[in-house]
Amino acid sequence: MFLRHILNCTTICDAKTVDANASCGEYDFMSATLKAPDPSQPLVTLRDVLAFNVRAHRVANQMSQEQLGFAAELDRTFISQVERSRINVSLDNIEKLALALNVPAAKLLVRP
Amino acid sequence: MFLRHILNCTTICDAKTVDANASCGEYDFMSATLKAPDPSQPLVTLRDVLAFNVRAHRVANQMSQEQLGFAAELDRTFISQVERSRINVSLDNIEKLALALNVPAAKLLVRP
C-alpha cells in the first residue's frame, strides 16, 4: 500500500500537469517553488502569451497557483491549465485573473 | 399580410439586437451604415470594453459585421452578440477577431 502511494506520487510528479517542483505531500502544494516562465519559450498562440503572462505576474506577486486560484475564485487545476496553454480561457475568467493579479486585463495579452 | 410584414420590420429594427440603421430587406445587412460606438456609454465589464473596441476597429476598417465575421471565420450573429456584450468570448476567438481587425489582441481589451 505504501509502495503504491510512492509510485502514485512519482507518476503525479512526472506528469506535465503538475509543477516539476511541487511536492507530493497532500498539503504541500502551497510550498511549491515559484518558478518564473522560461523567457526563451516560443509564444505561438494567444494562449501561450496569456500562459506566460499569468505565470510571470503570479510569480512576481509571490503567489502560488492555489493562492491565485483562491483570489480569482478559480480552481488551482484551472490556473495550472491556463499556464500550460491547455484552456481556451473566456473573457470573464481573464477579467478575474487580471483582478486577482492586480494588472489591467490587456496586459495579460501583451507579447513579452 | 403586407402591413404585418411592415410591423414586423419595425419591431425588428427597434429591437436592440439589430443595428439601428440596418435595413429590413433580407439581403440588405451589408449596406447597414457603419456606426461607431457611443463614446459616452459606460464600460463596466471587460465584455463592454471588448464590445466597444471590436465595433470601433470594425468601423475604422470600414467593415460590416458580415465582413468581419467572414474575415474572422465567425458568424455575423456572433459578431453582433460580441458588440452587445452578450457573449463570454474565448481567447481563441479574441485572437481571430484581432487578426481580422489587424490589431494586436491586447488592444481589444484596452479601456478607451
Side-chain angles (χ1 to χ4, degrees):
Chain A
M1 187 62 188
F2 180 69
L3 182 63
R4 197 170 153 195
H5 175 70
I6 295 282
L7 284 172
N8 278 342
C9 273
T10 312
T11 314
I12 292 168
C13 284
D14 282 347
K16 286 188 173 173
T17 51
V18 173
D19 282 352
N21 295 318
S23 161
C24 277
E26 269 180 59
Y27 301 105
D28 281 355
F29 287 116
M30 295 291 279
S31 62
T33 307
L34 293 173
K35 199 177 161 191
D38 177 8
S40 69
Q41 73 185 79
L43 304 179
V44 182
T45 65
L46 199 56
R47 288 193 196 193
D48 297 334
V49 174
L50 181 75
F52 185 98
N53 287 330
V54 165
R55 186 170 193 132
H57 282 101
R58 174 174 67 75
V59 171
N61 284 337
Q62 295 276 312
M63 293 170 99
S64 67
Q65 289 182 337
E66 291 75 18
Q67 287 167 326
L68 175 56
F70 185 78
E73 297 182 348
L74 296 165
D75 196 79
R76 185 197 70 83
T77 57
F78 182 88
I79 306 293
S80 165
Q81 286 177 302
V82 169
E83 292 187 2
R84 285 176 296 116
S85 313
R86 298 287 168 89
I87 279 190
N88 189 11
V89 190
S90 73
L91 201 60
D92 291 358
N93 284 337
I94 293 173
E95 189 166 28
K96 284 183 181 181
L97 287 168
L99 273 172
L101 290 168
N102 203 26
V103 290
K107 220 169 176 176
L108 294 181
L109 300 192
V110 174
R111 284 191 173 269
Chain B
M1 186 63 191
F2 180 68
L3 182 64
R4 197 168 156 196
H5 174 71
I6 296 284
L7 283 172
N8 277 343
C9 274
T10 313
T11 314
I12 292 169
C13 285
D14 282 346
K16 286 189 176 176
T17 51
V18 174
D19 283 352
N21 293 319
S23 161
C24 279
E26 268 179 60
Y27 302 104
D28 281 354
F29 286 117
M30 296 290 281
S31 63
T33 307
L34 294 173
K35 197 177 165 194
D38 177 7
S40 69
Q41 73 185 78
L43 303 178
V44 182
T45 65
L46 199 55
R47 288 192 196 194
D48 297 334
V49 174
L50 181 74
F52 185 98
N53 286 331
V54 165
R55 186 170 192 132
H57 282 100
R58 175 174 68 76
V59 171
N61 284 335
Q62 295 276 313
M63 294 169 97
S64 67
Q65 289 183 337
E66 291 76 16
Q67 287 168 325
L68 175 56
F70 186 78
E73 296 182 347
L74 296 166
D75 196 78
R76 186 198 69 84
T77 57
F78 182 88
I79 306 293
S80 165
Q81 285 176 302
V82 169
E83 292 188 1
R84 286 176 293 118
S85 313
R86 298 287 168 90
I87 279 191
N88 189 11
V89 191
S90 73
L91 201 59
D92 291 357
N93 285 336
I94 293 173
E95 190 166 26
K96 284 182 179 180
L97 288 168
L99 272 171
L101 290 168
N102 204 24
V103 289
K107 217 167 177 179
L108 294 181
L109 301 191
V110 174
R111 283 187 176 273

